[in-house]
Amino acid sequence: MDKPTIDRIALLHPDVRKEVAEIVNECNAALTGRAQMRIAQGYRTFDEQTKLFNQKPKVTNAKAGQSIHNYGLAVDIVLIIDGKTASWDTAKDWDNDKVADWKECVSIFKKYGWDWGGDWKSFKDMPHFEKKGYKWQNLIKLKKDKQGYVIL
């Protein structure tokens, strides 16, 4: 697991940090070739969400508070090829095992109970995974702990 991934996991909601680290390690073990998975984005502040929402071209439909990222319960991934090149290619099989590397990661996330943005009907978000069962409409109402994370 690379340093950017470790740093981004450390900012996720405390209830999912260990699980996300396990998922990353399992993905990287499955990707026996040139690709390794990196967490490209995890926790996002409301200010960061507002900037993304206002960005052109449009990259998100979620305003501040409306993204599961704002609660540390979502991640976006990228594959790092040969330790240097970022890839969001969902079809490439870098390890030549007859399964697209991206799909290997999707399967592992789903095994742990995470929803994949690639399954969404309207706005497909291929790099996005979020912990199943959480809705921003409920999370925004919850109290926060001393570190600022919602109390689940």
Side-chain angles (χ1 to χ4, degrees), residues 130-143:
E130 59 186 52
K131 188 64 177 167
K132 191 177 292 223
Y134 294 106
K135 298 198 180 309
W136 70 265
Q137 295 92 331
N138 298 328
L139 293 168
I140 203 164
K141 299 173 190 173
L142 296 177
K143 292 183 181 181

Side-chain angles (χ1 to χ4, degrees), residues 26-122:
E26 193 169 328
C27 287
N28 286 338
L31 303 177
T32 58
R34 300 167 45 203
Q36 291 287 280
M37 190 190 80
R38 173 181 288 171
I39 302 295
Q41 177 94 157
Y43 171 76
R44 194 181 293 147
T45 67
F46 280 31
D47 286 343
E48 290 168 329
Q49 189 68 38
T50 297
K51 287 177 186 168
L52 278 179
F53 181 77
N54 292 329
Q55 185 176 314
K56 304 288 187 232
K58 192 171 196 95
V59 296
T60 183
N61 289 326
K63 295 179 181 178
Q66 296 178 345
S67 170
I68 303 301
H69 283 285
N70 299 146
Y71 307 95
L73 297 166
V75 297
D76 294 337
I77 68 166
V78 62
L79 298 180
I80 302 298
I81 313 306
D82 297 329
K84 58 185 176 202
T85 305
S87 173
W88 290 270
D89 187 329
T90 60
K92 186 70 175 167
D93 179 20
W94 297 99
D95 58 4
N96 297 313
D97 64 357
K98 311 271 189 269
V99 180
D101 290 2
W102 200 274
K103 296 294 184 185
E104 290 182 71
C105 294
V106 169
S107 295
I108 292 167
F109 269 97
K110 286 183 175 187
K111 180 178 88 171
Y112 280 84
W114 288 66
D115 288 326
W116 178 42
D119 288 333
W120 294 348
K121 301 285 185 260
S122 60

